[in-house]
Amino acid sequence: MTSGRTTRWPSGLIDGRRSGDLLLPNYVGGEFVTGGTSFAKVSPVTGETLLHVAEADQATVDAAVTAARAALRGPWGAMGEGERAAVLRRVADELERRFDDLVAAEVADTGKSVAQARTLDIPRGAANFRTFADIITATPTESFTTVTASGGRALNYAVRKPVGVVAIIVPWNLPLLLLTWKVAPALACGNAVVVKPSEETPSSATVLAEVMAAAGVPDGVFNLVHGFGPGSAGEALTRHPGVDAITFTGESATGSAIMRAAADGVKAVSFELGGKNAGLVFADADLDAAVEGSVRSSFTNGGQVCLCTERIYVQRPVFEEFAARLAKRAEELAFGWPSEPATMTMPLISAKHREKVLGHYELARAEGATVLAGGGVPVFGDDRDGGSYVQPTVLTGLGRHARTMREEIFGPVCHIAPFDDEDEAFALANDSEYGLAATVWTRDVGRAHRAGARLEAGLVWVNTWFLRDLRTPFGGVKASGVGREGGTHSLHFYSELTNVCVDLG
């Protein structure tokens, strides 16, 4: 078992400045391996190359899957739930010991503020492991006593078994949070995993591999392969015959491609995909809370959260006031270096993604939108001008069929439109091919419960946003996903149940 490797993260990486040569390896069967080709990781803050990453070829992916399958036949496969839970708690402890390294890695990759990484991303990573350690040891399986035809008794009970080798593919927006959200329940259920992080955010996943080694996770249980999608590690992993299940978070088009690949082997899949999420603001809402909540739900993480609100519908009596206040708040959001405590915004993940978002800004104008705030690129007069920043943007004036209202933008932008009554509000919110999340701002308790029943979304937040209990189901409907994870719902995906029937005579 490999242990003792600790990647040092020079402080300059946080603010997008290269400091020395750093090559991030793959992690296969308990060994850190490089070899072959590598690719550059570019800072979204400055556009400068920060480090290089070893790209996994087909042979490396083969070795990772082989190591994972061997781990299932070794000591890991013989562990009981209590023993695995103890391993997960050690991982959580080690994550906290490496807290500062994880913050540095996460911020260097994404450009988000140090404050956000310290209060959200890294704490949630440790919480995911502790939560699923608790859940796996506290969740019973079913048992039934059956009366037989002869008048005797039979005992039926379920035995939980791991699915096998799980491919875990995660995106770049919340790299550690989403990775641990999947790795923790997969390991809790006794699986072995092969992880492919986004090529844009390889760093915190590499630190997690070091954490796994230091925490005593047996060789081959956790494997890490870096690379891209088509023609690289992602495609090799999703098409690999030795993979038993695939879990993916990312855009819907990629999810469709992975589903086609999984169909050949009839592999189990769990997908959390895109969203074009709606927010509803009723005239009876606490308008202060609705404005501040919508600032968070539209602009957090640069709008690069699948749960962010891109469509806001406001009841007509408060529409003008809400629109003016939200636009003012968008213009007040502080740009700064990631290391500065007052920083409230972050760059987009890459120059390519910035061009996509700016293209949507231009499309909105062409479709007749009025720009209430933002709509362009900030100018700093320093190295950040080489980064991937855009302004938080508030739009209005578009009809329901405009492309800007239909397509996921995944940037710091929202469109505001009026509605007259509750039925219209629910109809507008549901008018989308997506169905991941919705927010509702109202003081009417009855309306709040009606919204939960009528909105076509996997998550409905009332008078809040992004408030999560890790035991609850998470996932979307329509083009926003397949299946549910969270709490016991994760156990259902990451394990198989075998029914045992014993005739008692």
Side-chain angles (χ1 to χ4, degrees), residues 391-408:
Q391 294 172 328
T393 297
V394 179
L395 308 169
T396 192
L398 293 178
R400 59 192 291 187
H401 298 297
R403 281 179 56 194
T404 304
M405 298 293 288
R406 314 299 300 183
E407 299 175 8
E408 182 182 34

Side-chain angles (χ1 to χ4, degrees), residues 78-412:
M79 285 187 185
E81 293 172 348
E83 294 173 287
R84 295 198 300 270
V87 172
L88 265 61
R89 293 188 179 100
R90 290 202 304 271
V91 171
D93 292 342
E94 184 66 15
L95 280 169
E96 291 176 342
R97 192 183 72 79
R98 295 290 303 277
F99 191 92
D100 290 340
D101 286 334
L102 285 160
V103 168
E106 197 83 342
V107 174
D109 273 355
T110 63
K112 66 182 61 178
S113 71
V114 169
Q116 178 181 319
R118 293 187 68 87
T119 56
L120 173 64
D121 300 76
I122 313 308
R124 259 291 297 276
N128 284 335
F129 281 98
R130 291 202 176 98
T131 295
F132 284 104
D134 293 341
I135 289 172
I136 194 63
T137 53
T139 302
T141 55
E142 297 175 323
S143 66
F144 300 95
T145 301
T146 306
V147 177
T148 66
S150 62
R153 295 288 187 270
L155 175 64
N156 286 271
Y157 64 95
V159 176
R160 189 181 302 281
K161 302 176 182 177
V163 173
V165 176
V166 180
I168 297 178
I169 303 174
V170 289
W172 43 257
N173 56 333
L174 298 165
L176 185 72
L177 188 157
L178 292 173
L179 177 55
T180 57
W181 174 242
K182 296 175 181 294
V183 171
L187 298 193
C189 291
N191 300 284
V193 302
V194 182
V195 167
K196 196 207 83 70
S198 167
E199 63 275 13
E200 300 286 359
T201 50
S203 299
S204 57
T206 305
V207 179
L208 181 59
E210 296 174 357
V211 164
M212 291 286 171
V217 177
D219 295 346
V221 172
F222 178 93
N223 303 274
L224 170 68
V225 292
H226 293 297
F228 302 86
S232 185
E235 182 176 0
L237 185 58
T238 57
R239 293 187 177 279
H240 202 288
V243 168
D244 300 296
I246 303 171
T247 178
F248 168 75
T249 296
E251 63 178 2
S252 299
T254 304
S256 296
I258 293 174
M259 182 173 283
R260 286 192 292 273
D264 289 339
V266 198
K267 295 178 173 66
V269 296
S270 176
F271 292 161
E272 192 263 289
L273 305 176
K276 188 72 175 177
N277 305 307
L280 303 179
V281 181
F282 288 89
D284 67 340
D286 178 336
L287 212 58
D288 290 340
V291 170
E292 290 306 310
S294 298
V295 168
R296 288 186 63 234
S297 71
S298 298
F299 306 128
T300 291
N301 214 62
Q304 300 168 118
V305 180
C306 54
L307 303 166
C308 275
T309 307
E310 292 191 7
R311 299 178 293 138
I312 302 178
Y313 301 102
V314 184
Q315 200 158 20
R316 205 172 295 276
V318 296
F319 175 79
E320 296 294 339
E321 180 182 357
F322 179 90
R325 291 178 61 179
L326 184 63
K328 182 174 183 293
R329 288 290 292 114
E331 292 175 340
E332 293 171 347
L333 294 176
F335 285 98
W337 293 96
S339 60
E340 295 174 351
T343 297
M344 301 173 65
T345 60
M346 63 180 282
L348 301 182
I349 191 64
S350 66
K352 179 180 179 181
H353 188 55
R354 182 173 77 161
E355 290 308 308
K356 174 194 171 185
V357 172
L358 290 175
H360 278 286
Y361 287 5
E362 289 304 311
L363 174 63
R365 291 186 178 94
E367 291 181 314
T370 298
V371 180
L372 300 181
V377 176
V379 177
F380 300 103
D382 56 37
D383 288 345
R384 287 172 296 171
D385 290 334
S388 300
Y389 288 89
V390 299
Q391 294 172 328
T393 297
V394 179
L395 308 169
T396 192
L398 293 178
R400 59 192 291 187
H401 298 297
R403 281 179 56 194
T404 304
M405 298 293 288
R406 314 299 300 183
E407 299 175 8
E408 182 182 34
I409 300 172
F410 216 63

